[in-house]
């Protein structure tokens, strides 16, 4: 359908009437991902060992709908510190502190694929002076189909702290574990805005540049903050030589997210 619509768009511009012209062209969609990690271990004593781990994983992908190209770039960084201590013959403690950063940016633009003439879509729709505008144009031809072009850039980020502390106790046939798990997540969202959507439902609307529908929308940036905590206790009971029983309880507190700048989300109440 898209290959036919490309010919339709060309015919509308050049000849003023739609024609389901066939269009065939090959193209590549490059993508890449790399992952690197480094870990350092240090034995302070027979009863205490430490480690630090760093990880980095960037990636990128490209996709297109004819001359409408979307580039996506993401990267992830993680840092983990850990300590394991043998407090006594039957008591061990494990401590883990982690921090991770993730970022994803998706941008869409027009290029000269298939002989197309790329244009500054935001400027053509009167919002070229805005830094992060989101122009969107849709053409619909009855009996044939629709085609949509847009240009935007959206960014999402993640910042996460994670702390886990676990104590293991050996009591006869019982292997007990008691611990706490805390997690804080900050997730900045930066949507493209404002969004101007122009929909054309006939060839005459396209040629006269008179949209049948025009909508203007504004999206606000936000930074949701999640604070989550849990406590747990577990027991592995060696009932017999060939039989063990695992039991445990985990209690979690996951309150609704807040917004870092006080712009908390609206609560929708229903019955």
């Amino acid at each position: 359908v898209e290959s036919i619509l490309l010919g339709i768009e060309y015919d509308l511009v050049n000849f003023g009437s739609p024609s389901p012209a066939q269009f065939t062209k090959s193209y590549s969609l490059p993508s890449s991902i790399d992952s690197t990690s480094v870990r350092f271990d240090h034995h302070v004593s027979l009863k205490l060992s430490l480690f630090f781990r760093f990880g980095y994983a960037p990636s990128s992908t490209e996709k297109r709908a004819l001359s409408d190209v979307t580039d996506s770039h993401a990267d992830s960084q993680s840092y983990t510190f850990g300590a394991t201590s043998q407090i006594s013959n039957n008591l061990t403690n494990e401590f883990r502190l982690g921090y991770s950063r993730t970022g994803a940016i998706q941008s869409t633009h027009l290029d000269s694929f298939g002989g197309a003439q790329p244009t500054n879509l935001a400027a053509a729709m009167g919002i070229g002076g805005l830094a992060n505008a989101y122009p969107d144009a849709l053409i619909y031809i009855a009996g044939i189909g629709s085609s949509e072009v847009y240009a935007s850039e959206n960014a999402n980020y993640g910042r996460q702290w994670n702390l886990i502390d676990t104590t293991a106790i050996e009591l006869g046939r019982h292997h007990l574990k008691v611990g706490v798990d805390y997690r804080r997540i900050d997730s900045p969202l930066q949507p493209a805005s404002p969004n101007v959507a122009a929909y054309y439902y006939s060839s005459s609307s396209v040629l006269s540049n008179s949209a049948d529908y025009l909508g203007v929308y504004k999206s606000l940036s936000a930074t949701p903050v999640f604070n989550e905590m849990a406590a747990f206790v577990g027991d592995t009971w060696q009932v017999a030589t060939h039989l063990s029983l695992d039991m445990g309880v985990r209690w979690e507190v996951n309150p609704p997210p807040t917004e870092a700048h006080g712009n908390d989300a609206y609560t929708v109440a229903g019955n």
Side-chain angles (χ1 to χ4, degrees), residues 159-165 179-187 224-232 250-258:
R159 308 287 184 264
Q160 176 174 312
W161 285 96
N162 191 200
L163 184 151
I164 302 176
D165 189 68
V180 293
D181 183 351
Y182 171 74
R183 182 180 293 108
R184 176 188 170 91
I185 303 173
D186 294 8
S187 182
V225 178
F226 300 81
N227 285 285
E228 304 170 347
M229 190 178 73
F232 56 89
R250 182 180 176 92
W251 176 68
E252 296 188 357
V253 178
N254 299 316
T258 57

Side-chain angles (χ1 to χ4, degrees), residues 154-205:
N154 299 281
N156 298 323
Y157 302 94
R159 308 287 184 264
Q160 176 174 312
W161 285 96
N162 191 200
L163 184 151
I164 302 176
D165 189 68
T166 306
T167 299
I169 310 170
E170 298 281 354
L171 294 174
R173 291 177 175 268
H174 295 271
H175 180 70
L176 301 173
K177 279 192 174 183
V178 180
V180 293
D181 183 351
Y182 171 74
R183 182 180 293 108
R184 176 188 170 91
I185 303 173
D186 294 8
S187 182
L189 308 175
Q190 298 176 2
S193 182
N195 169 215
V196 175
Y199 298 165
Y200 301 84
Y201 296 130
S202 66
S203 58
S204 59
S205 298

